[in-house]
Amino acid sequence: MLNTEQHIDSLIIGQGLAGSILAWQLMQCGQQVIVVADQSAASASRVAAGLFNPVTGKRLLLQADAETVIPAALSFYDQLEQRFKQQFFHNKEMLRILRSEKECDIFNQRSQDSAYAPYLGDSCATPALLKAEHGIFVQCKTGYLDTNALLDCMKALFVAHKSYIESCFRHDDLVMKEAMVSWHGINARRVIFCEGFMATNNPWFNWLPFQPAKGEILSFTSDQQLPEQIINAGKWLLPVSDGSYKTGATYDHNLSNIEPSNACKSELIDGLQHLLKSPLNFKLVDHQAGVRPNTRDKQPFIGTHPSHPQLAIFNGFGSKGSMLIPYYAERFVHHLSDGSAIPEEADISRIRYD
Ligand SMILES: Cc1cc2nc3c(=O)[nH]c(=O)nc-3n(C[C@H](O)[C@H](O)[C@H](O)COP(=O)(O)OP(=O)(O)OC[C@H]3O[C@@H](n4cnc5c(N)ncnc54)[C@H](O)[C@@H]3O)c2cc1C
């Protein structure tokens, strides 16, 4: 721990995608930042497949403000790739399998809607190995983010800038002062909590209606030639750049146990086999579980505490962190720098605080 007092702009708690991307963007604006991270604790970002998909769910819903959010994310990852000389975002076409007549009708409706035009391709022939009774179509502007590569590079950069402390932040250790906070000799104008689902234990922000959802993912190798696109039929199959595959994900609001379970492993293997015409030979290489920081109204939680302006939160990115975080980090950095508005749908002032 540090011996002398330090004065910084922002103390950031958590080095998942939210804490890392926000810290990086603040640093780009010349702010002094320290990231406090407990790498031994659960991190959704370390488990996530990083899928990037603008049109999701049974109703094929287009991400709100897709025309702003998606370019912001892609240009951000491009900027990082140039800085680190490493690829993080992998463009990859997605084949969406339609699972019922109802989904076919929805696809036909969406195809007529000009807002969907950049994201929905045509119906296509079913690749030999796949089962697709009701048809299949191409989704565009899809891919995946290599979250672990990105987080490792970010951590190395924070360490090099002496902006990283490996520690479990205890909320009791934070000293509130006039218009600032102090923690172990570090005086900061603000602390920004990016704790993922663990924000539910944060004494200042536990009034926010989080609805965390556990999820599990399998990684495997196979000597069979699987499609090179991402296959999505609710459960998905992702060919990863190292030649292995991932399949996921389960979804469960019961957090009594956040470890990988045999029941979910079976669910994922069944889901994978269900995509294919014949049984797959595969070798399981990993089985991970994580908790998504979902919120009840499915919108992020961003803003400063109603009674303590030196405390802020940047969280609630649910199942879409890789697509949403760069855009909202940019908007939050503007807010912190010049007071410009946080996007209304994400501003925590929408939630009543008693
Ligand atoms: C199974 C699964 C699949 C997913 N698939 C996708 C996907 O395909 N695409 C997608 O975009 N998103 C996906 N997600 C969601 C994605 O992981 C999240 O949206 C995103 O990673 C959230 O990032 P975060 O930084 O808010 O949270 P986290 O990644 O959980 O980071 C929070 C960090 O804060 C740290 N922390 C918490 N409390 C403290 C403390 N007191 N002191 C120090 N450190 C602390 C934790 O250790 C953690 O590292 C998936 C999630 C799961 C679980």
Side-chain angles (χ1 to χ4, degrees):
M1 211 48 54
L2 303 170
N3 295 324
T4 50
E5 290 224 332
Q6 237 187 321
H7 293 267
I8 61 165
D9 295 300
S10 299
L11 189 63
I12 293 192
I13 312 305
Q15 199 241 323
L17 285 177
S20 300
I21 293 175
L22 184 66
W24 161 274
Q25 295 205 7
L26 286 165
M27 287 165 85
Q28 296 306 296
C29 291
Q31 298 233 352
Q32 280 188 297
V33 167
I34 288 181
V35 177
V36 181
D38 181 4
Q39 298 290 354
S40 66
S43 165
S45 308
R46 290 278 177 189
V47 173
L51 289 179
F52 194 96
N53 180 10
V55 178
T56 53
K58 287 185 180 158
R59 298 199 50 74
L60 301 177
L61 287 178
L62 177 59
Q63 171 62 42
D65 298 325
E67 67 292 349
T68 317
V69 169
I70 291 167
L74 295 178
S75 108
F76 175 76
Y77 296 130
D78 186 51
Q79 186 194 336
L80 278 193
E81 287 173 359
Q82 292 189 26
R83 164 66 180 76
F84 290 103
K85 302 199 172 9
Q86 190 174 332
Q87 187 173 9
F88 301 123
F89 184 75
H90 299 260
N91 277 304
K92 213 170 239 307
E93 209 169 66
M94 181 180 279
L95 299 183
R96 171 67 197 254
I97 296 178
L98 293 162
R99 288 168 289 174
S100 63
E101 284 305 319
K102 195 168 171 205
E103 278 191 21
C104 295
D105 292 344
I106 294 171
F107 169 63
N108 290 331
Q109 275 170 29
R110 303 296 189 220
S111 307
Q112 318 276 316
D113 183 339
S114 61
Y116 280 74
Y119 310 103
L120 294 190
D122 294 325
S123 301
C124 64
T126 304
L129 280 172
L130 295 182
K131 249 193 289 183
E133 224 178 290
H134 297 279
I136 195 162
F137 70 93
V138 177
Q139 282 189 237
C140 315
K141 297 198 194 279
T142 50
Y144 75 96
L145 178 71
D146 185 341
T147 55
N148 282 300
L150 185 145
L151 295 176
D152 289 346
C153 284
M154 291 281 206
K155 178 180 167 187
L157 178 119
F158 299 143
V159 170
H161 281 76
K162 300 197 178 354
S163 294
Y164 182 86
I165 295 175
E166 171 81 47
S167 172
C168 176
F169 177 91
R170 287 171 22 132
H171 302 92
D172 288 349
D173 293 345
L174 190 73
V175 180
M176 307 276 262
K177 297 187 175 169
E178 182 79 26
M180 64 176 228
V181 291
S182 179
W183 179 78
H184 293 289
I186 300 170
N187 294 317
R189 286 167 59 204
R190 66 181 77 87
V191 53
I192 308 177
F193 293 103
C194 305
E195 302 160 294
F197 85 100
M198 283 185 267
T200 49
N201 299 322
N202 183 308
W204 298 287
F205 289 103
N206 56 9
W207 50 279
L208 290 169
F210 279 93
Q211 201 170 46
K214 181 184 173 188
E216 300 191 25
I217 285 185
L218 302 179
S219 301
F220 65 93
T221 54
S222 174
D223 50 16
Q224 279 169 263
Q225 188 65 43
L226 292 168
E228 59 190 30
Q229 299 94 335
I230 303 167
I231 308 301
N232 184 359
K235 294 277 187 293
W236 43 258
L237 169 64
L238 169 67
V240 189
S241 62
D242 66 1
S244 68
Y245 298 89
K246 290 186 180 187
T247 189
T250 58
Y251 199 93
D252 190 354
H253 287 298
N254 178 357
L255 303 188
S256 54
N257 175 352
I258 59 169
E259 299 304 314
S261 69
N262 282 332
C264 287
K265 183 167 139 187
S266 303
E267 180 184 330
L268 291 172
I269 293 173
D270 289 350
L272 177 62
Q273 298 290 8
H274 196 72
L275 294 174
L276 304 169
K277 280 190 186 137
S278 49
L280 178 72
N281 297 323
F282 66 94
K283 185 169 166 235
L284 199 60
V285 289
D286 205 359
H287 176 192
Q288 290 175 288
V291 183
R292 305 169 182 91
N294 289 8
T295 65
R296 214 172 288 160
D297 67 2
K298 300 186 172 37
Q299 298 293 344
F301 288 151
I302 303 175
T304 47
H305 190 279
S307 307
H308 305 289
Q310 64 277 57
L311 305 181
I313 188 162
F314 184 70
N315 203 327
F317 298 100
S319 307
K320 295 186 175 179
S322 58
M323 194 162 64
L324 300 183
I325 291 172
Y327 166 72
Y328 282 109
E330 192 182 313
R331 295 294 303 265
F332 195 35
V333 169
H334 283 304
H335 169 77
L336 295 172
S337 313
D338 62 17
S340 60
I342 296 168
E344 212 178 331
E345 71 283 359
D347 191 332
I348 56 168
S349 65
R350 74 186 186 279
I351 314 285
R352 191 188 150 120
Y353 172 72
D354 294 316

